[in-house]
């Protein structure tokens, strides 16, 4: 089973390499400011550990192909705690 899994991972990696050479960009905005052009806020969480409107967790990576957005990254975004 592990040999099969290793083979699938290797083919997946090669497939991603080919797509990246053709212009695919993976959007993984962990810790970056929230950008509604490239990110879709799925959850807003209160946090005083990071600035407001910061991506605290990526729930699903986004993708661009040759500069065009295919799928926005699905993220959790921080907001200031309510007092």
């Amino acid at each position: 089973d592990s040999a099969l899994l290793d083979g699938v991972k290797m083919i997946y990696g090669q497939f991603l390499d080919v797509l990246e050479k053709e212009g695919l960009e993976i959007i993984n905005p962990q810790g970056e400011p929230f950008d509604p052009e490239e990110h879709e806020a799925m959850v807003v969480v209160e946090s005083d550990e990071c600035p407001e409107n910061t991506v605290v967790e990526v729930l699903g990576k986004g993708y661009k192909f040759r500069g065009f957005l295919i799928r926005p990254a699905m993220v959790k975004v921080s907001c200031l705690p309510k007092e």
Side-chain angles (χ1 to χ4, degrees):
D1 290 338
S2 67
L4 177 64
L5 181 61
D6 291 341
V8 170
K9 286 181 182 179
M10 186 170 46
I11 292 170
Y12 176 72
Q14 292 172 345
F15 181 64
L16 280 181
D17 288 342
V18 169
L19 289 175
E20 287 175 354
K21 287 178 185 175
E22 292 298 320
L24 182 74
E25 296 175 51
I26 298 174
I27 303 170
N28 191 6
Q30 181 76 33
E32 296 178 7
F34 176 73
D35 179 4
E37 300 275 329
E38 295 186 357
H39 311 145
E40 183 176 350
M42 304 303 290
V43 179
V44 177
V45 294
E46 294 181 0
S47 174
D48 54 0
E49 297 175 7
C50 57
E52 188 175 18
N53 291 328
T54 300
V55 176
V56 294
E57 184 179 347
V58 178
L59 303 173
K61 294 178 185 174
Y63 297 94
K64 281 183 166 183
F65 186 70
R66 297 182 180 167
F68 294 99
L69 185 66
I70 296 173
R71 183 176 92 177
M74 295 175 279
V75 298
K76 284 186 182 180
V77 181
S78 66
C79 72
L80 296 176
K82 295 178 184 175
E83 295 182 21

